[in-house]
Amino acid sequence: MLTLTSGAVQVIRTVTANPELPPETGIRIASGVNGSQALTLSVAPAPEAGDQIVEEGGARVYLEAGAAELLADKTLDAQVDAQGDVAFTIAEGPIADV
């Protein structure tokens, strides 16, 4: 199952903390079309039917079935740069959380 670093948890919680959004809002990761391994990431108000749910420290990630398969043994990390832009990265296996 996809694991989340503390950085990813913090960024996801910040991105989904808008009080105008439903409380179950999370980040949804979906696999590309036509067998592509490209992934899309979006803010979602709730999981879609068939999504796998990863929840850690108040952060929710909804994984479309194809994405869940691709990310089963991966780790999601996130960082915010000096301009406030968010970058999500995926690493093979668990990574050291510093």
Side-chain angles (χ1 to χ4, degrees), residues 46-90:
E48 293 186 15
D51 281 358
Q52 183 181 96
I53 301 170
V54 176
E55 189 167 2
E56 188 171 324
R60 289 178 198 83
V61 177
Y62 305 127
L63 299 169
E64 174 268 335
E69 186 176 326
L70 285 170
L71 300 174
D73 59 347
K74 309 282 190 289
T75 298
L76 181 67
D77 190 20
Q79 296 181 346
V80 179
D81 67 17
Q83 290 75 37
D85 295 325
V86 175
F88 285 94
T89 55
I90 297 169

Side-chain angles (χ1 to χ4, degrees), residues 3 16 18 20 24 33-34 38 42 47 49-50 53 70 76-77 79 82 89 93 95 98:
T3 58
T16 61
N18 184 334
E20 295 179 15
E24 59 275 356
V33 295
N34 301 327
S42 60
I53 301 170
L70 285 170
L76 181 67
D77 190 20
Q79 296 181 346
T89 55
I95 60 174
V98 288

